[in-house]
Amino acid sequence: MDDRNDHRAEIRDFLASRRAKITPEQAGLPTSGRRRVPGLRREEVAVLAGVSTEWYTRLEKGHISGVSEDVLAAVAQALQLDEDERTYLFDLARAARPARRTPSRRRDVEVPPRIQWLLNSIAMSAAFVRNGRLDVIAHNALGRALHAPMFDSPTTDKRGRPNFARYHFLDPGSQDFFVDWDAGAAATVALLRAEAGREPHDRALRELIGELSTLSHDFRTLWAAHDVRIRHEGTKRLQHPEVGLLELTYQSLDLPVSHRAVHDLSLYTAEPGSTSEERLKLLTSLAATAAQPTQPTDQLR
């Protein structure tokens, strides 16, 4: 199947999955008798969006190129899309427009020294930079120590960089490390889904999704749900092998490393005065000790 057919299938499945989630009652439509399909019918979405049934049916078959933003906004409102889903729909429409030239292969962007200096200056929070494919491309010492099981996993790439999705779905140890594994797995897939909408020509991303789809039943199931998430923040519980259970808050911030790719700075910290803060301080101390260079024996005399 070529890229165009892949893209049309993505549009079709996304719109159909969102339509199936809305009941006529939620949409303010009258109902009567038994319904053969879950959620709304195509003709009901068309009425809510103010377009013909034929036109909406064509859209749901993947013919999105040339559709105006006003019409897309009306469809998004009819399907009650949240902000992330709406952004994703617009990304799909943008990617479907005829390209003036063949899309270039996106290259990995090296983190400039100033970003690493920033990470190193963050003392009491685990910090790392992540690209849209969920590769960890830079980190501070505590970020490395906090995610030690992921950094030490055989799922890292040839450069030793961990990837949250590979670790989550291809390393059985992730289910011990991530206390709320199911929620984390769903969020991980939703983040990759959003990135696939932004960067449909990213070969490395397509290869990652293909690898995970082939090797993980859990990933295939979650991918088929077509859920989308652009921002990832909240509370995370980790069962760390050195300091025990940690309950941390985490926040992601956009990081303008490159105009061609999405990067974010993620920070994990603990509530002041909590047991998790004490354990995070212990982990900070352990990380600092591990980072100290070993002095030659003759210098110790």
Side-chain angles (χ1 to χ4, degrees):
M1 184 177 288
D2 61 25
D3 287 353
R4 181 174 298 180
N5 288 336
D6 279 342
H7 196 70
R8 286 180 178 173
E10 175 57 37
I11 296 165
R12 179 195 67 218
D13 294 343
F14 175 67
L15 292 176
S17 69
R18 300 310 96 174
R19 176 165 57 86
K21 286 190 170 186
I22 305 172
T23 65
E25 292 81 4
Q26 290 173 325
L29 296 174
T31 59
S32 60
R34 296 183 60 186
R35 301 175 65 87
R36 292 182 299 174
V37 296
L40 298 178
R41 302 186 180 102
R42 286 177 176 172
E43 57 266 28
E44 291 170 330
V45 176
V47 168
L48 291 169
V51 299
S52 69
T53 300
E54 292 76 15
W55 187 94
Y56 178 76
T57 299
R58 179 174 171 78
L59 174 64
E60 197 172 288
K61 288 182 178 180
H63 300 282
I64 201 171
S65 178
V67 176
S68 71
E69 291 191 359
D70 288 343
V71 172
L72 281 179
V75 170
Q77 183 174 359
L79 292 174
Q80 300 181 16
L81 302 186
D82 62 25
E83 183 177 351
D84 288 355
E85 292 169 332
R86 187 179 187 277
T87 298
Y88 181 65
L89 177 62
F90 276 74
D91 283 342
L92 292 176
R94 174 182 50 79
R97 298 188 188 112
R100 295 182 181 179
R101 59 185 180 180
T102 302
S104 59
R105 182 173 182 179
R106 188 174 65 169
R107 297 180 180 179
D108 285 338
V109 177
E110 295 297 329
V111 174
R114 57 184 172 82
I115 299 299
Q116 189 61 59
W117 300 340
L118 169 66
L119 293 172
N120 293 342
S121 71
I122 300 173
M124 283 306 300
S125 293
F128 58 87
V129 177
R130 188 182 61 188
N131 63 21
R133 294 190 296 268
L134 308 186
D135 298 314
V136 177
I137 60 175
H139 54 83
N140 66 0
L142 185 54
R144 168 66 172 83
L146 180 65
H147 291 94
M150 185 172 69
F151 277 86
D152 297 336
S153 169
T155 60
T156 58
D157 66 13
K158 294 179 180 179
R159 299 168 61 181
R161 299 186 312 183
N163 177 279
F164 274 94
R166 279 199 181 93
Y167 178 65
H168 229 111
F169 292 100
L170 301 184
D171 190 326
S174 69
Q175 298 196 30
D176 297 321
F177 182 58
F178 295 120
V179 176
D180 304 302
W181 188 92
D182 289 341
T188 297
V189 175
L191 288 167
L192 285 181
R193 174 70 71 179
E195 179 70 0
R198 280 191 299 261
E199 297 290 344
H201 304 293
D202 185 340
R203 185 182 301 176
L205 176 63
R206 291 164 64 92
E207 290 172 352
L208 172 63
I209 293 169
E211 175 189 6
L212 296 173
S213 297
T214 300
L215 299 177
S216 172
H217 171 76
D218 290 321
F219 181 86
R220 288 195 301 273
T221 300
L222 290 168
W223 188 254
H226 290 269
D227 291 332
V228 179
R229 180 177 292 194
I230 294 175
R231 184 73 59 199
H232 192 31
E233 55 199 29
T235 302
K236 183 165 290 189
R237 295 188 298 165
L238 305 175
Q239 186 62 42
H240 197 276
E242 291 191 86
V243 298
L245 180 64
L246 292 163
E247 183 169 330
L248 306 173
T249 61
Y250 62 98
Q251 182 76 39
S252 296
L253 308 170
D254 290 336
L255 190 66
V257 174
S258 166
H259 70 281
R260 290 200 58 204
V262 171
H263 295 84
D264 63 48
L265 169 64
S266 294
L267 300 167
Y268 286 65
T269 190
E271 180 182 351
S274 66
T275 301
S276 290
E277 184 189 39
E278 292 302 316
R279 292 175 177 174
L280 198 61
K281 287 180 179 178
L282 173 58
L283 191 58
T284 302
S285 177
L286 294 173
T289 301
Q292 291 178 356
T294 303
Q295 292 182 312
T297 304
D298 57 353
Q299 293 184 16
L300 299 177
R301 294 175 182 174

